[in-house]
Amino acid sequence: MADIYNFKFIEKKWQKYWYENKIFHVTEDINKKKFYGLIEFPYPSGVGMHVGHIRAYAGLEVVARKRRLEGYNVLFPIGYDAFGLPTENYAMKVKKHPRIITDENIRNFDKQLRSVGFSFDFDRVVDTTDPGYYHWTQWIFLQMFKRGLAYKSKTMVNFCPQCKVVLANEESQNGICDRCGAEVVQKEKDVWFLKIRQYAERLLNNLSSLDYLDRIKTEQINWIGKSTGAEVTFKVKSADKDYDLVVYTTRPDTIYGATFLVVSPEHPMLKYFADDIGNLSEIESYQKQALLKKEFERIQMNKDKTGIKVMGIDAVNPITGKIIPVFSADYVMMDYGTGAIMAVPAHDTRDYEFAKKFNLPIVEVIKGDVDISVEPYIAKDGGEMINSGFLNGMSVKQAIPAMIEYMKKNGLGKPKTDYKMKDWAFNRQRYWGEPIPIINCPHCGQVPISESELPLKLPDLADFEPTDDATSPLSKLTDWVNVKCPRCGAPAKRETDTMPQWAGSSWYFLRYMSPDCPYAPVSRDANEYWRQVDWYNGGMEHVTRHLIYSRFWNMFLYDIGVVKDEEPYKKRTAQGLILGADGEKMSKSRGNVINPDDVIKEYGADTLRTFILFIGDYEKPSPWSVEGTRGCFRFLNRVWGLSDMIKETETNDLNLAAVIKKVSDDYESAKYNTAIAQLMGTINVFYSRGSVTKYELDTFLKLLYPVAPHICSEMYEKINNGAKINETDWPTYKAEELIENEVEIPVQVNGKLRGRITVSREADQDDVMKCVNDEILGGKSIIKIVYVKGRILNIVVK
RNA sequence: GCGGUUAUGGCGGAAUGGCAGACGCGAUAGACUUAGAAUCUAUUGAGGAAUCGUAAGGGUUCAAGUCCCUUUAACCGCACCA
């Protein structure tokens, strides 16, 4: 061999060539077909890039490089989702400004990304913490505010009494504060919300026309959580007052079995009847208890129902006219449905448990195949209505619409659709986020700042520790906070909360189209050209929140005429996790973390890229393997050796067209592992033959180029007098080249393999049977012959 | 609890209902070498064999890892959602 595979030299050389010449920089070109490939931009954390990032990017990297050779104008951008808590916490720890830390981290990520040789367009980088970017994050928020889609409302938040800070759900796992370990309590607070529920139906319906993996669609459907049922009004009475209590139910058919009502501890009806409730102090202390309950406790309470009877008031079942008691219990949530339910213990597990515990009547209204004295009958697809007046004899399917119809006619209730998805809580009491561009005026309420004042820059702050009273650190900047109301001129205060991390990532894919556009989030021309993201890849952990939030923002921007497509992403895939060599999730504490820099140092970026794609099914989790990495390094060394084996010989040991087809198809369907396996099999043919033709090698290098671009660029240049592989075309083949004239087909007897015969592709059953000798049949007589042309012959004998 | 995904050699993993185990790793033997590493060549599911083998049990089919039913285990998501 002429020289060894010097990956260090090669990789440096080609990275320099790509990035200095801006080979992957793209500009809009009406004459070229476009392809927009998007990967989830990273959070630039201090620990740098993880092998998981590389797997997430490597998939579309292959597609992007392939598309360029196919003649597409490819937008394959990268950016940084850089606002967020870890940076802020780290900044407090090391007493540096988050801006400085963010810049350091981005520089580090940029270096790492280039060391892997990714073909991103580094001239379109967006950074969500750049005022030029969050200008438009704030602008979009203002548009939502102006259209009534952003509102402030009181709600319960997780509060750490020790740190005196509001925590996100992720920071208060199991009711314990992430920062200090104290117990978290619930506290009422003013919170900004975005009305994403208003978009629930569209977000749900559009899914059917999108090319997302089924498991992604399923998660989104569950997250949106549509349910259809009815709102039914129950009259609740005390000695001298009435209240129309509206309950939500998906089972109006069971109303004859509603033997009591349950309202959540926070339900406003309890306040309304305060003077009439006999056991008010008990009710109030139960309410307090429920509030203090931490999330995890509520979950544990799952089996053990608590609650309290509300004395002094009664309800009337509107259908049966019977008087039924009212309870307050924390198994009914204030934020779902109406915060009140009609309890049908015979046909609902929770109501059943509650009824058993409080000795309440259980009235069976659907005759099913269970003993109601032992367990509830909850199936919707069987049984027959009983004890239910005009519903008797109907199936559940018939009874639901019949009862809704009856309620509508008699003014007792109406059909109602509900969603589990809640409105999006859109603020944090943190420094390192986009300031919310609103001024709170004592006279005018919330007043948006003028768009001409955008971006509302995050002011410099020396001390960004949270304050004692659970307000944002920004509230300490009185000069900044105290302003005049833009509407009435009275003294007013700026909103000091910032936006959540999800904000910046909800529209970044649009900014890539025109990263410097000064007059809009995205320029019209650029949006007109790039349109939807053709293929978006990322992690399963983001397919609910981030994916739904960004679909919502894009849909809003579509509604107000900013973008041309209602849906942002045509296609969405998700890569599997890379696990440690021990099969467990990589984590510092387990000590099984693989640092990509180390792998690049030892084997090179091409080996890292090849192995990360070869490791297993792209969409499933796979454990890391040091030996596997070496195997890919060996493979690339064998590729390197091919340049000394070029010889023009006539051969029939390889169908190159079939290789081109297999590899091309596999890249398109994200089956990178089998594509690489195919290339390994191909190189094994070259080696056992001892030679490769020039055409075979050129083709082979082009097929491998998207996976291992450095080595392929180098070898292609060497054997083609300096020509650049990135300026060539993707290999093609003619359909007839795939057809083999002779095929080997297996011969089975009674389904068991007994031999093989080689026949012409067009051979019919008689031709094939001529090749079958008695030995194979074992002297038995033939009952049936199944012959699938070109595939298999199965003979049934007796 | 509900929803989803998965289960194939010693390991990672391949298989439009049609030859189970492609490809890689590891292992064994040999070649080269003073020696090792690297590299190359051969073998490598189990079993003496007939045969048996895709989590377990049933079924459909000429033919099942693949389709249907029952069960088990692991992982992910949601979770008292009315």
Side-chain angles (χ1 to χ4, degrees):
Chain A
M1 221 172 280
D3 52 357
I4 59 149
Y5 168 43
N6 185 347
F7 62 84
K8 281 195 175 134
F9 169 80
I10 295 169
E11 292 180 357
K12 214 186 245 167
K13 167 181 166 182
W14 288 97
Q15 285 163 14
K16 192 168 179 239
Y17 162 74
W18 294 331
Y19 302 134
E20 283 187 1
N21 297 296
K22 300 185 185 297
I23 298 294
F24 309 118
H25 180 48
V26 67
T27 50
E28 292 72 39
D29 180 351
I30 277 291
N31 301 313
K32 278 171 102 178
K33 331 169 254 193
K34 69 98 185 182
F35 175 80
Y36 184 1
L38 181 71
I39 48 90
E40 281 171 353
F41 63 165
Y43 176 74
S45 81
V47 294
M49 217 163 42
H50 186 268
V51 283
H53 287 112
I54 297 176
R55 191 185 209 191
Y57 308 158
L60 277 189
E61 157 81 356
V62 166
V63 177
R65 289 210 185 237
K66 172 170 180 275
R67 283 283 187 287
R68 293 190 190 99
L69 296 199
E70 288 171 330
Y72 283 81
N73 208 23
V74 173
L75 176 56
F76 189 46
I78 184 75
Y80 299 96
D81 186 16
F83 274 131
L85 207 60
T87 301
E88 186 168 339
N89 286 343
Y90 183 72
M92 285 189 266
K93 205 169 121 193
V94 301
K95 304 246 181 278
K96 268 190 191 170
H97 196 277
R99 173 77 267 156
I100 294 167
I101 291 166
T102 298
D103 288 340
E104 281 170 4
N105 290 348
I106 287 179
R107 270 198 298 279
N108 183 42
F109 257 78
D110 180 87
K111 198 176 130 208
Q112 285 187 306
L113 288 167
R114 291 171 198 250
S115 76
V116 182
F118 282 123
S119 65
F120 292 125
D121 181 349
F122 285 99
D123 291 301
R124 286 179 183 254
V125 171
V126 306
D127 166 5
T128 56
T129 65
D130 177 353
Y133 181 87
Y134 68 68
H135 177 148
W136 299 105
T137 313
Q138 292 170 328
W139 182 86
I140 296 168
F141 176 84
L142 282 186
Q143 307 315 307
M144 289 190 166
F145 180 79
K146 287 175 186 170
R147 286 162 183 80
L149 286 170
Y151 65 98
K152 223 172 182 183
S153 160
K154 285 200 188 311
T155 193
M156 291 298 162
V157 295
N158 300 308
F159 182 74
C160 171
Q162 179 128 2
C163 309
K164 304 210 159 136
V165 70
V166 175
L167 301 169
N169 281 334
E170 307 86 69
E171 303 169 79
S172 59
Q173 299 283 320
N174 296 332
I176 302 290
C177 172
D178 250 12
R179 311 176 69 212
C180 70
E183 281 196 7
V184 173
V185 296
Q186 299 283 302
K187 200 177 168 172
E188 195 174 60
K189 202 157 174 17
D190 261 342
V191 170
W192 281 98
F193 286 98
L194 299 185
K195 285 191 183 168
I196 190 170
R197 278 170 68 93
Q198 202 165 300
Y199 282 71
E201 195 63 32
R202 280 164 82 188
L203 290 166
L204 184 66
N205 288 341
N206 285 2
L207 279 177
S208 60
S209 61
L210 294 172
D211 181 17
Y212 293 4
L213 293 181
D214 282 342
R215 59 189 171 132
I216 295 175
K217 285 190 186 179
T218 307
E219 278 203 16
Q220 293 208 354
I221 290 167
N222 291 343
W223 183 267
I224 295 168
K226 180 178 180 172
S227 73
T228 53
E231 280 186 352
V232 188
T233 307
F234 282 66
K235 279 259 182 271
V236 182
K237 288 180 183 161
S238 67
D240 54 349
K241 272 196 273 182
D242 275 14
Y243 186 93
D244 283 343
L245 180 65
V246 180
V247 306
Y248 176 67
T249 179
T250 56
R251 299 294 302 275
D253 54 310
T254 62
I255 190 162
Y256 280 92
T259 52
F260 57 101
L261 296 184
V262 186
V263 298
S264 97
E266 307 98 306
H267 199 282
M269 183 184 77
L270 297 173
K271 266 196 195 115
Y272 176 82
F273 281 123
D275 296 339
D276 309 272
I277 294 173
N279 54 343
L280 187 65
S281 61
E282 283 175 76
I283 297 278
E284 280 175 346
S285 80
Y286 180 74
Q287 194 172 3
K288 234 174 245 166
Q289 266 177 39
L291 273 180
L292 288 172
K293 257 187 202 169
K294 287 131 287 186
E295 259 177 85
F296 82 111
E297 250 184 42
R298 274 201 160 190
I299 292 160
Q300 278 176 356
M301 289 299 165
N302 211 334
K303 281 177 190 112
D304 191 20
K305 294 273 176 297
T306 65
I308 181 162
K309 184 164 188 234
V310 187
M311 311 296 261
I313 58 173
D314 283 313
V316 181
N317 182 321
I319 302 293
T320 64
K322 279 189 185 146
I323 304 286
I324 56 174
V326 181
F327 286 79
S328 174
D330 67 1
Y331 82 90
V332 175
M333 307 287 130
M334 196 57 226
D335 57 7
Y336 183 76
T338 60
I341 62 156
M342 61 175 211
V344 184
H347 305 290
D348 181 280
T349 316
R350 294 148 305 173
D351 298 345
Y352 189 85
E353 283 168 22
F354 195 83
K356 282 276 174 189
K357 183 161 174 183
F358 288 84
N359 262 319
L360 296 159
I362 298 171
V363 175
E364 186 174 29
V365 292
I366 305 164
K367 187 73 218 150
D369 51 5
V370 303
D371 177 359
I372 229 72
S373 66
V374 183
E375 56 172 321
Y377 178 74
I378 52 177
K380 277 193 231 174
D381 51 0
E384 184 188 313
M385 304 305 301
I386 54 167
N387 300 327
S388 294
F390 72 98
L391 298 178
N392 282 340
M394 290 187 188
S395 68
V396 170
K397 252 193 205 138
Q398 297 166 316
I400 292 176
M403 180 49 83
I404 290 178
E405 197 47 42
Y406 177 85
M407 285 171 171
K408 248 171 40 188
K409 225 181 264 169
N410 295 281
L412 303 170
K414 55 175 189 199
K416 168 83 179 174
T417 299
D418 209 345
Y419 304 90
K420 285 185 201 171
M421 183 170 69
K422 297 178 179 121
D423 274 347
W424 174 7
F426 198 72
N427 57 325
R428 301 289 181 265
Q429 288 71 40
R430 293 290 180 177
Y431 172 70
W432 195 229
E434 302 88 344
I436 293 177
I438 295 284
I439 291 168
N440 296 303
C441 169
H443 309 299
C444 313
Q446 294 131 13
V447 182
I449 70 169
S450 155
E451 283 179 22
S452 64
E453 285 177 47
L454 294 179
L456 173 59
K457 284 196 188 166
L458 186 60
D460 259 336
L461 192 59
D463 170 23
F464 27 82
E465 289 275 353
T467 60
D468 288 350
D469 56 351
T471 55
S472 159
L474 286 176
S475 62
K476 288 186 267 190
L477 278 178
T478 46
D479 284 359
W480 183 79
V481 171
N482 292 315
V483 288
K484 278 190 182 146
C485 169
R487 200 164 289 163
C488 71
K493 284 181 189 300
R494 284 192 194 280
E495 177 63 61
T496 54
D497 283 2
T498 53
M499 298 186 193
Q501 207 189 342
W502 307 107
S505 58
S506 290
W507 71 282
Y508 74 110
F509 51 92
L510 295 172
R511 195 64 185 167
Y512 283 140
M513 297 176 187
S514 52
D516 301 316
C517 177
Y519 58 85
V522 55
S523 92
R524 268 179 195 286
D525 290 348
N527 182 240
E528 176 67 41
Y529 183 73
W530 294 112
R531 303 294 297 259
Q532 287 170 298
V533 171
D534 293 285
W535 189 343
Y536 188 17
N537 184 67
M540 276 308 283
E541 69 275 20
H542 290 131
V543 302
T544 49
R545 275 184 287 197
H546 160 64
L547 219 60
I548 292 181
Y549 291 160
S550 58
R551 287 180 59 213
F552 162 50
W553 274 40
N554 188 84
M555 210 173 266
F556 169 74
L557 292 172
Y558 169 77
D559 290 347
I560 64 170
V562 174
V563 298
K564 303 221 58 148
D565 297 282
E566 184 177 9
E567 284 291 340
Y569 320 117
K570 256 192 223 167
K571 169 175 177 162
R572 164 77 190 203
T573 52
Q575 79 282 351
L577 230 51
I578 294 191
L579 308 169
D582 53 3
E584 300 289 327
K585 207 169 164 173
M586 278 193 194
S587 74
K588 247 192 239 166
S589 57
R590 283 204 185 83
N592 59 356
V593 177
I594 299 294
N595 181 346
D597 293 343
D598 297 342
V599 182
I600 291 174
K601 221 167 161 187
E602 195 169 355
Y603 300 109
D606 280 337
T607 295
L608 174 64
R609 296 166 59 119
T610 306
F611 179 61
I612 247 169
L613 292 169
F614 182 64
I615 191 168
D617 185 330
Y618 189 66
E619 285 163 6
K620 290 183 190 141
S622 302
W624 186 263
S625 155
V626 176
E627 293 78 14
T629 317
R630 272 205 288 273
C632 288
F633 183 62
R634 228 170 273 164
F635 165 64
L636 293 183
N637 272 284
R638 280 158 72 82
V639 171
W640 185 252
L642 287 175
S643 52
D644 292 330
M645 290 165 53
I646 301 173
K647 208 162 104 192
E648 300 307 319
T649 45
E650 286 281 320
T651 57
N652 61 353
D653 51 5
L654 182 71
N655 185 333
L656 199 61
V659 175
I660 296 171
K661 176 170 170 38
K662 170 78 176 156
V663 173
S664 302
D665 291 353
D666 281 356
Y667 285 164
E668 289 303 321
S669 50
K671 299 284 174 204
Y672 311 107
N673 56 335
T674 48
I676 294 168
Q678 180 69 35
L679 290 170
M680 287 172 167
T682 304
I683 205 171
N684 290 345
V685 173
F686 298 150
Y687 268 81
S688 60
R689 187 205 292 163
S691 70
V692 59
T693 69
K694 172 74 168 40
Y695 171 70
E696 283 172 334
L697 183 52
D698 280 347
T699 304
F700 183 89
L701 291 174
K702 288 177 186 178
L703 293 176
L704 180 62
Y705 164 74
V707 172
H710 309 85
I711 187 174
C712 293
S713 296
E714 178 70 15
M715 288 178 68
Y716 192 88
E717 181 185 57
K718 224 161 96 180
I719 64 175
N720 286 287
N721 304 314
K724 300 285 190 287
I725 196 168
N726 50 287
E727 292 166 3
T728 62
D729 296 326
W730 189 252
T732 54
Y733 57 90
K734 293 196 186 84
E736 62 261 30
E737 292 177 272
L738 293 173
I739 297 165
E740 309 270 3
N741 290 327
E742 294 211 315
V743 287
E744 191 186 58
I745 62 165
V747 179
Q748 294 182 337
V749 175
N750 287 347
K752 280 176 187 148
L753 183 67
R754 282 290 177 272
R756 289 163 218 281
I757 50 176
T758 302
V759 294
S760 132
R761 180 176 185 80
E762 293 303 318
D764 60 20
Q765 186 172 311
D766 291 341
D767 299 332
V768 175
M769 285 308 288
K770 276 178 206 151
C771 308
V772 175
N773 54 32
D774 289 346
E775 200 184 320
I776 285 179
L777 297 177
K780 295 187 175 151
S781 56
I782 295 172
I783 294 175
K784 187 174 177 180
I785 298 168
V786 179
Y787 173 57
V788 183
K789 206 183 231 178
R791 295 206 68 91
I792 201 163
L793 174 68
N794 189 14
I795 306 164
V796 185
V797 300
K798 200 171 155 188

